[in-house]
PDB file of all heavy atoms in Angstrom:
ATOM      1  N   ASN A 413     -14.240 -27.453 -31.187  1.00 96.00           N
ATOM      2  CA  ASN A 413     -15.572 -26.940 -31.538  1.00 96.00           C
ATOM      3  C   ASN A 413     -15.544 -25.458 -31.876  1.00 96.00           C
ATOM      4  O   ASN A 413     -16.282 -25.004 -32.764  1.00 96.00           O
ATOM      5  CB  ASN A 413     -16.554 -27.223 -30.410  1.00 96.00           C
ATOM      6  CG  ASN A 413     -16.947 -28.692 -30.355  1.00 96.00           C
ATOM      7  OD1 ASN A 413     -16.721 -29.440 -31.310  1.00 96.00           O
ATOM      8  ND2 ASN A 413     -17.534 -29.106 -29.248  1.00 96.00           N
ATOM      9  N   ILE A 414     -14.728 -24.697 -31.189  1.00 97.00           N
ATOM     10  CA  ILE A 414     -14.595 -23.272 -31.553  1.00 97.00           C
ATOM     11  C   ILE A 414     -14.047 -23.150 -32.969  1.00 97.00           C
ATOM     12  O   ILE A 414     -14.567 -22.379 -33.795  1.00 97.00           O
ATOM     13  CB  ILE A 414     -13.696 -22.537 -30.544  1.00 97.00           C
ATOM     14  CG1 ILE A 414     -14.420 -22.381 -29.207  1.00 97.00           C
ATOM     15  CG2 ILE A 414     -13.293 -21.161 -31.084  1.00 97.00           C
ATOM     16  CD1 ILE A 414     -13.567 -21.770 -28.113  1.00 97.00           C
ATOM     17  N   PHE A 415     -13.005 -23.914 -33.270  1.00 95.00           N
ATOM     18  CA  PHE A 415     -12.418 -23.851 -34.612  1.00 95.00           C
ATOM     19  C   PHE A 415     -13.435 -24.278 -35.670  1.00 95.00           C
ATOM     20  O   PHE A 415     -13.552 -23.643 -36.730  1.00 95.00           O
ATOM     21  CB  PHE A 415     -11.174 -24.735 -34.681  1.00 95.00           C
ATOM     22  CG  PHE A 415     -10.465 -24.655 -36.000  1.00 95.00           C
ATOM     23  CD1 PHE A 415      -9.808 -23.498 -36.376  1.00 95.00           C
ATOM     24  CD2 PHE A 415     -10.462 -25.732 -36.881  1.00 95.00           C
ATOM     25  CE1 PHE A 415      -9.149 -23.409 -37.600  1.00 95.00           C
ATOM     26  CE2 PHE A 415      -9.813 -25.658 -38.095  1.00 95.00           C
ATOM     27  CZ  PHE A 415      -9.156 -24.489 -38.464  1.00 95.00           C
ATOM     28  N   ALA A 416     -14.205 -25.318 -35.379  1.00 94.00           N
ATOM     29  CA  ALA A 416     -15.213 -25.789 -36.338  1.00 94.00           C
ATOM     30  C   ALA A 416     -16.286 -24.741 -36.569  1.00 94.00           C
ATOM     31  O   ALA A 416     -16.724 -24.524 -37.720  1.00 94.00           O
ATOM     32  CB  ALA A 416     -15.838 -27.087 -35.825  1.00 94.00           C
ATOM     33  N   LEU A 417     -16.728 -24.072 -35.513  1.00 94.00           N
ATOM     34  CA  LEU A 417     -17.745 -23.021 -35.662  1.00 94.00           C
ATOM     35  C   LEU A 417     -17.220 -21.857 -36.496  1.00 94.00           C
ATOM     36  O   LEU A 417     -17.927 -21.296 -37.331  1.00 94.00           O
ATOM     37  CB  LEU A 417     -18.192 -22.519 -34.289  1.00 94.00           C
ATOM     38  CG  LEU A 417     -19.264 -23.326 -33.562  1.00 94.00           C
ATOM     39  CD1 LEU A 417     -19.568 -22.680 -32.211  1.00 94.00           C
ATOM     40  CD2 LEU A 417     -20.540 -23.427 -34.392  1.00 94.00           C
ATOM     41  N   ILE A 418     -15.977 -21.475 -36.237  1.00 94.00           N
ATOM     42  CA  ILE A 418     -15.395 -20.373 -37.007  1.00 94.00           C
ATOM     43  C   ILE A 418     -15.317 -20.745 -38.482  1.00 94.00           C
ATOM     44  O   ILE A 418     -15.657 -19.938 -39.369  1.00 94.00           O
ATOM     45  CB  ILE A 418     -14.000 -20.008 -36.461  1.00 94.00           C
ATOM     46  CG1 ILE A 418     -14.129 -19.387 -35.076  1.00 94.00           C
ATOM     47  CG2 ILE A 418     -13.285 -19.043 -37.411  1.00 94.00           C
ATOM     48  CD1 ILE A 418     -12.793 -19.130 -34.401  1.00 94.00           C
ATOM     49  N   GLN A 419     -14.895 -21.966 -38.766  1.00 91.00           N
ATOM     50  CA  GLN A 419     -14.803 -22.418 -40.150  1.00 91.00           C
ATOM     51  C   GLN A 419     -16.172 -22.452 -40.818  1.00 91.00           C
ATOM     52  O   GLN A 419     -16.291 -22.263 -42.028  1.00 91.00           O
ATOM     53  CB  GLN A 419     -14.173 -23.818 -40.200  1.00 91.00           C
ATOM     54  CG  GLN A 419     -12.727 -23.878 -39.754  1.00 91.00           C
ATOM     55  CD  GLN A 419     -11.803 -23.077 -40.654  1.00 91.00           C
ATOM     56  OE1 GLN A 419     -11.513 -21.910 -40.378  1.00 91.00           O
ATOM     57  NE2 GLN A 419     -11.380 -23.680 -41.748  1.00 91.00           N
ATOM     58  N   ALA A 420     -17.202 -22.659 -40.014  1.00 88.00           N
ATOM     59  CA  ALA A 420     -18.577 -22.719 -40.549  1.00 88.00           C
ATOM     60  C   ALA A 420     -19.273 -21.367 -40.442  1.00 88.00           C
ATOM     61  O   ALA A 420     -20.504 -21.295 -40.564  1.00 88.00           O
ATOM     62  CB  ALA A 420     -19.368 -23.779 -39.798  1.00 88.00           C
ATOM     63  N   ASN A 421     -18.504 -20.301 -40.200  1.00 81.00           N
ATOM     64  CA  ASN A 421     -19.052 -18.950 -40.068  1.00 81.00           C
ATOM     65  C   ASN A 421     -20.134 -18.858 -38.996  1.00 81.00           C
ATOM     66  O   ASN A 421     -21.157 -18.175 -39.165  1.00 81.00           O
ATOM     67  CB  ASN A 421     -19.612 -18.464 -41.422  1.00 81.00           C
ATOM     68  CG  ASN A 421     -18.539 -18.297 -42.468  1.00 81.00           C
ATOM     69  OD1 ASN A 421     -17.467 -17.751 -42.184  1.00 81.00           O
ATOM     70  ND2 ASN A 421     -18.798 -18.774 -43.676  1.00 81.00           N
ATOM     71  N   GLY A 422     -19.904 -19.585 -37.896  1.00 66.00           N
ATOM     72  CA  GLY A 422     -20.818 -19.497 -36.762  1.00 66.00           C
ATOM     73  C   GLY A 422     -22.072 -20.332 -36.895  1.00 66.00           C
ATOM     74  O   GLY A 422     -22.963 -20.243 -36.040  1.00 66.00           O
ATOM     75  N   ASP A 423     -22.162 -21.152 -37.933  1.00 70.00           N
ATOM     76  CA  ASP A 423     -23.358 -21.976 -38.136  1.00 70.00           C
ATOM     77  C   ASP A 423     -23.413 -23.065 -37.074  1.00 70.00           C
ATOM     78  O   ASP A 423     -22.640 -24.037 -37.120  1.00 70.00           O
ATOM     79  CB  ASP A 423     -23.329 -22.600 -39.532  1.00 70.00           C
ATOM     80  CG  ASP A 423     -24.569 -23.455 -39.806  1.00 70.00           C
ATOM     81  OD1 ASP A 423     -25.488 -23.476 -38.955  1.00 70.00           O
ATOM     82  OD2 ASP A 423     -24.597 -24.104 -40.867  1.00 70.00           O
ATOM     83  N   ASN A 424     -24.331 -22.940 -36.133  1.00 68.00           N
ATOM     84  CA  ASN A 424     -24.395 -23.879 -35.028  1.00 68.00           C
ATOM     85  C   ASN A 424     -24.951 -25.244 -35.445  1.00 68.00           C
ATOM     86  O   ASN A 424     -25.009 -26.170 -34.639  1.00 68.00           O
ATOM     87  CB  ASN A 424     -25.237 -23.316 -33.874  1.00 68.00           C
ATOM     88  CG  ASN A 424     -24.995 -24.055 -32.572  1.00 68.00           C
ATOM     89  OD1 ASN A 424     -23.853 -24.346 -32.246  1.00 68.00           O
ATOM     90  ND2 ASN A 424     -26.061 -24.375 -31.861  1.00 68.00           N
ATOM     91  N   LYS A 425     -25.361 -25.371 -36.703  1.00 69.00           N
ATOM     92  CA  LYS A 425     -25.821 -26.669 -37.192  1.00 69.00           C
ATOM     93  C   LYS A 425     -24.648 -27.556 -37.605  1.00 69.00           C
ATOM     94  O   LYS A 425     -24.827 -28.729 -37.915  1.00 69.00           O
ATOM     95  CB  LYS A 425     -26.773 -26.482 -38.365  1.00 69.00           C
ATOM     96  CG  LYS A 425     -28.071 -25.758 -37.987  1.00 69.00           C
ATOM     97  CD  LYS A 425     -28.971 -25.563 -39.181  1.00 69.00           C
ATOM     98  CE  LYS A 425     -30.234 -24.796 -38.783  1.00 69.00           C
ATOM     99  NZ  LYS A 425     -31.114 -24.552 -39.956  1.00 69.00           N
ATOM    100  N   LYS A 426     -23.468 -26.961 -37.612  1.00 73.00           N
ATOM    101  CA  LYS A 426     -22.265 -27.720 -37.907  1.00 73.00           C
ATOM    102  C   LYS A 426     -22.109 -28.835 -36.880  1.00 73.00           C
ATOM    103  O   LYS A 426     -22.306 -28.636 -35.695  1.00 73.00           O
ATOM    104  CB  LYS A 426     -21.061 -26.783 -37.850  1.00 73.00           C
ATOM    105  CG  LYS A 426     -19.706 -27.450 -37.860  1.00 73.00           C
ATOM    106  CD  LYS A 426     -19.287 -27.861 -39.243  1.00 73.00           C
ATOM    107  CE  LYS A 426     -17.883 -28.431 -39.242  1.00 73.00           C
ATOM    108  NZ  LYS A 426     -17.436 -28.844 -40.587  1.00 73.00           N
ATOM    109  N   ALA A 427     -21.765 -30.031 -37.343  1.00 83.00           N
ATOM    110  CA  ALA A 427     -21.560 -31.161 -36.424  1.00 83.00           C
ATOM    111  C   ALA A 427     -20.343 -30.893 -35.549  1.00 83.00           C
ATOM    112  O   ALA A 427     -19.234 -30.663 -36.051  1.00 83.00           O
ATOM    113  CB  ALA A 427     -21.375 -32.446 -37.220  1.00 83.00           C
ATOM    114  N   LEU A 428     -20.551 -30.893 -34.260  1.00 93.00           N
ATOM    115  CA  LEU A 428     -19.480 -30.612 -33.308  1.00 93.00           C
ATOM    116  C   LEU A 428     -19.187 -31.851 -32.466  1.00 93.00           C
ATOM    117  O   LEU A 428     -19.977 -32.786 -32.397  1.00 93.00           O
ATOM    118  CB  LEU A 428     -19.881 -29.455 -32.390  1.00 93.00           C
ATOM    119  CG  LEU A 428     -20.218 -28.127 -33.079  1.00 93.00           C
ATOM    120  CD1 LEU A 428     -20.632 -27.090 -32.033  1.00 93.00           C
ATOM    121  CD2 LEU A 428     -19.045 -27.619 -33.902  1.00 93.00           C
ATOM    122  N   LYS A 429     -18.045 -31.825 -31.797  1.00 95.00           N
ATOM    123  CA  LYS A 429     -17.656 -32.931 -30.929  1.00 95.00           C
ATOM    124  C   LYS A 429     -18.436 -32.875 -29.617  1.00 95.00           C
ATOM    125  O   LYS A 429     -18.710 -31.795 -29.100  1.00 95.00           O
ATOM    126  CB  LYS A 429     -16.157 -32.860 -30.617  1.00 95.00           C
ATOM    127  CG  LYS A 429     -15.246 -33.227 -31.768  1.00 95.00           C
ATOM    128  CD  LYS A 429     -13.797 -33.292 -31.291  1.00 95.00           C
ATOM    129  CE  LYS A 429     -12.876 -33.768 -32.403  1.00 95.00           C
ATOM    130  NZ  LYS A 429     -11.466 -33.878 -31.928  1.00 95.00           N
ATOM    131  N   ASN A 430     -18.744 -34.029 -29.094  1.00 95.00           N
ATOM    132  CA  ASN A 430     -19.359 -34.123 -27.773  1.00 95.00           C
ATOM    133  C   ASN A 430     -18.324 -34.562 -26.745  1.00 95.00           C
ATOM    134  O   ASN A 430     -17.427 -35.360 -27.048  1.00 95.00           O
ATOM    135  CB  ASN A 430     -20.512 -35.133 -27.768  1.00 95.00           C
ATOM    136  CG  ASN A 430     -21.734 -34.616 -28.491  1.00 95.00           C
ATOM    137  OD1 ASN A 430     -21.889 -33.413 -28.700  1.00 95.00           O
ATOM    138  ND2 ASN A 430     -22.613 -35.518 -28.883  1.00 95.00           N
ATOM    139  N   TYR A 431     -18.462 -34.018 -25.549  1.00 95.00           N
ATOM    140  CA  TYR A 431     -17.604 -34.417 -24.449  1.00 95.00           C
ATOM    141  C   TYR A 431     -18.144 -35.698 -23.832  1.00 95.00           C
ATOM    142  O   TYR A 431     -19.334 -35.821 -23.536  1.00 95.00           O
ATOM    143  CB  TYR A 431     -17.553 -33.310 -23.391  1.00 95.00           C
ATOM    144  CG  TYR A 431     -16.953 -33.758 -22.067  1.00 95.00           C
ATOM    145  CD1 TYR A 431     -15.600 -34.052 -21.963  1.00 95.00           C
ATOM    146  CD2 TYR A 431     -17.751 -33.888 -20.928  1.00 95.00           C
ATOM    147  CE1 TYR A 431     -15.039 -34.457 -20.763  1.00 95.00           C
ATOM    148  CE2 TYR A 431     -17.207 -34.292 -19.723  1.00 95.00           C
ATOM    149  CZ  TYR A 431     -15.853 -34.577 -19.640  1.00 95.00           C
ATOM    150  OH  TYR A 431     -15.308 -34.983 -18.449  1.00 95.00           O
ATOM    151  N   THR A 432     -17.272 -36.659 -23.653  1.00 92.00           N
ATOM    152  CA  THR A 432     -17.609 -37.900 -22.958  1.00 92.00           C
ATOM    153  C   THR A 432     -16.919 -37.887 -21.605  1.00 92.00           C
ATOM    154  O   THR A 432     -15.709 -37.630 -21.526  1.00 92.00           O
ATOM    155  CB  THR A 432     -17.147 -39.131 -23.757  1.00 92.00           C
ATOM    156  OG1 THR A 432     -17.764 -39.100 -25.047  1.00 92.00           O
ATOM    157  CG2 THR A 432     -17.522 -40.414 -23.038  1.00 92.00           C
ATOM    158  N   LYS A 433     -17.668 -38.138 -20.562  1.00 87.00           N
ATOM    159  CA  LYS A 433     -17.113 -38.076 -19.214  1.00 87.00           C
ATOM    160  C   LYS A 433     -15.838 -38.890 -19.095  1.00 87.00           C
ATOM    161  O   LYS A 433     -15.788 -40.058 -19.470  1.00 87.00           O
ATOM    162  CB  LYS A 433     -18.145 -38.568 -18.196  1.00 87.00           C
ATOM    163  CG  LYS A 433     -17.633 -38.523 -16.757  1.00 87.00           C
ATOM    164  CD  LYS A 433     -18.632 -39.130 -15.787  1.00 87.00           C
ATOM    165  CE  LYS A 433     -18.052 -39.200 -14.382  1.00 87.00           C
ATOM    166  NZ  LYS A 433     -18.962 -39.845 -13.425  1.00 87.00           N
ATOM    167  N   ALA A 434     -14.805 -38.255 -18.566  1.00 80.00           N
ATOM    168  CA  ALA A 434     -13.537 -38.941 -18.357  1.00 80.00           C
ATOM    169  C   ALA A 434     -13.638 -39.848 -17.138  1.00 80.00           C
ATOM    170  O   ALA A 434     -14.546 -39.744 -16.315  1.00 80.00           O
ATOM    171  CB  ALA A 434     -12.417 -37.918 -18.157  1.00 80.00           C
ATOM    172  N   MET A 435     -12.677 -40.733 -17.026  1.00 81.00           N
ATOM    173  CA  MET A 435     -12.681 -41.681 -15.908  1.00 81.00           C
ATOM    174  C   MET A 435     -12.521 -40.950 -14.574  1.00 81.00           C
ATOM    175  O   MET A 435     -11.974 -39.848 -14.496  1.00 81.00           O
ATOM    176  CB  MET A 435     -11.524 -42.665 -16.066  1.00 81.00           C
ATOM    177  CG  MET A 435     -10.142 -42.031 -15.955  1.00 81.00           C
ATOM    178  SD  MET A 435      -8.834 -43.252 -16.140  1.00 81.00           S
ATOM    179  CE  MET A 435      -7.376 -42.176 -16.021  1.00 81.00           C
ATOM    180  N   ASP A 436     -13.002 -41.581 -13.522  1.00 84.00           N
ATOM    181  CA  ASP A 436     -12.744 -41.099 -12.170  1.00 84.00           C
ATOM    182  C   ASP A 436     -11.454 -41.728 -11.673  1.00 84.00           C
ATOM    183  O   ASP A 436     -11.316 -42.961 -11.647  1.00 84.00           O
ATOM    184  CB  ASP A 436     -13.901 -41.463 -11.227  1.00 84.00           C
ATOM    185  CG  ASP A 436     -15.098 -40.548 -11.399  1.00 84.00           C
ATOM    186  OD1 ASP A 436     -14.884 -39.322 -11.475  1.00 84.00           O
ATOM    187  OD2 ASP A 436     -16.222 -41.054 -11.479  1.00 84.00           O
ATOM    188  N   ALA A 437     -10.523 -40.892 -11.310  1.00 88.00           N
ATOM    189  CA  ALA A 437      -9.247 -41.366 -10.789  1.00 88.00           C
ATOM    190  C   ALA A 437      -8.756 -40.351  -9.772  1.00 88.00           C
ATOM    191  O   ALA A 437      -8.954 -39.145  -9.935  1.00 88.00           O
ATOM    192  CB  ALA A 437      -8.226 -41.527 -11.913  1.00 88.00           C
ATOM    193  N   ILE A 438      -8.133 -40.838  -8.718  1.00 93.00           N
ATOM    194  CA  ILE A 438      -7.636 -39.938  -7.692  1.00 93.00           C
ATOM    195  C   ILE A 438      -6.429 -40.577  -7.017  1.00 93.00           C
ATOM    196  O   ILE A 438      -6.387 -41.797  -6.804  1.00 93.00           O
ATOM    197  CB  ILE A 438      -8.733 -39.605  -6.656  1.00 93.00           C
ATOM    198  CG1 ILE A 438      -8.270 -38.496  -5.709  1.00 93.00           C
ATOM    199  CG2 ILE A 438      -9.189 -40.841  -5.914  1.00 93.00           C
ATOM    200  CD1 ILE A 438      -9.389 -37.927  -4.853  1.00 93.00           C
TER     201      ILE A 438
END
Side-chain angles (χ1 to χ4, degrees):
N413 286 345
I414 289 175
F415 184 69
L417 277 179
I418 292 174
Q419 294 296 94
N421 295 316
D423 181 5
N424 197 43
K425 296 179 182 178
K426 168 80 176 180
L428 302 178
K429 287 187 175 182
N430 287 341
Y431 166 70
T432 302
K433 180 185 174 183
M435 66 180 178
D436 282 315
I438 189 168

